[in-house]
Amino acid sequence: MFKTTVNILILFFGFSTISTAQNVAHVKAGVLIVSLHNDEFSFRPGINLGVQAKIGATGFFMSPGLFYQKFTISEFAKKEYINDRPKYHLAKLNVDAGYESTLTKLFRYRVYAGVNLNRIIKIDNNSNNINFNNIYEGFVGYDYGFGFNVYFMTIDFKQERSLTEFYKGYKKTKLNFSTISLGFVF
């Protein structure tokens, strides 16, 4: 009986989501702060650019995305996002799943969580001689966040945590990302 009830609920929510599907894409730009897992006070400011699709409807949705991020190699003042210091350049592929609800015709909010694959695509020349011998080229992480839409604009607040190590030869060197993005829905 319990399995039947659960299956009926899954089918009901699945059909209601499909019948009201509103597939959209978000183009986003924002700022981020990167810190090391074992040093919460080490800040590396950077920028975040990307596109993210939302497949589903008001209710449950999936949201794959592709992002470009760059952040400073060495610790830096967390308010100076645009600077000329050497940086890591990162490509990020993420997939989120979440729930979105409509308060009014022009205002929607959402919560989500997901996983991401990250790859360092370039390291600027730097005085610390950090290169691909010192860091792993790729790492895996998870994220969670919330956001809202006001008409065609979207704002998202996201936290990301690494599941795998970033620096080679050091213990507990996972990265944490805090991101605020502003975007447009089309």
Side-chain angles (χ1 to χ4, degrees):
M1 180 69 178
F2 178 74
K3 281 185 170 182
T4 305
T5 305
V6 170
N7 287 333
I8 291 171
L9 288 173
I10 289 171
L11 286 172
F12 172 76
F13 286 119
F15 285 138
S16 66
T17 300
I18 292 169
S19 67
T20 59
Q22 298 175 358
N23 300 332
V24 296
H26 300 182
V27 175
K28 299 179 180 184
V31 295
L32 66 101
I33 295 177
V34 180
S35 63
L36 295 177
H37 178 68
N38 61 344
D39 186 359
E40 296 295 326
F41 300 103
S42 67
F43 296 103
R44 289 160 175 79
I47 61 167
N48 180 53
L49 304 168
V51 62
Q52 192 158 11
K54 187 175 74 76
I55 303 165
T58 302
F60 295 103
F61 66 90
M62 293 294 293
S63 186
L66 181 61
F67 291 88
Y68 167 76
Q69 295 177 329
K70 68 178 180 178
F71 53 95
T72 58
I73 290 174
S74 54
E75 295 178 30
F76 200 49
K78 63 181 174 180
K79 294 181 181 177
E80 298 181 24
Y81 292 99
I82 299 178
N83 55 64
D84 58 354
R85 298 220 176 185
K87 296 176 177 55
Y88 295 112
H89 300 260
L90 178 80
K92 181 181 298 278
L93 175 65
N94 76 306
V95 177
D96 294 328
Y99 180 79
E100 182 176 68
S101 183
T102 302
L103 289 179
T104 67
K105 187 175 181 179
L106 299 178
F107 186 82
R108 294 180 180 191
Y109 68 92
R110 65 190 159 280
V111 294
Y112 51 88
V115 295
N116 53 60
L117 299 172
N118 303 277
R119 184 172 185 274
I120 301 292
I121 53 177
K122 180 182 170 187
I123 302 172
D124 292 343
N125 292 331
N126 59 84
S127 60
N128 297 336
N129 293 322
I130 294 177
N131 55 34
F132 288 109
N133 295 328
N134 309 98
I135 66 167
Y136 292 104
E137 194 171 336
F139 58 96
V140 178
Y142 67 94
D143 61 72
Y144 56 91
F146 69 93
F148 55 89
N149 291 8
V150 178
Y151 193 55
F152 62 90
M153 293 182 61
T154 180
I155 298 175
D156 284 284
F157 303 91
K158 184 185 274 192
Q159 293 290 316
E160 300 177 33
R161 303 287 184 253
S162 294
L163 292 172
T164 58
E165 302 297 323
F166 182 68
Y167 291 105
K168 294 178 182 176
Y170 296 100
K171 292 184 178 181
K172 297 183 180 177
T173 57
K174 299 175 182 176
L175 296 180
N176 299 331
F177 294 82
S178 300
T179 308
I180 300 172
S181 297
L182 176 64
F184 298 97
V185 178
F186 63 92

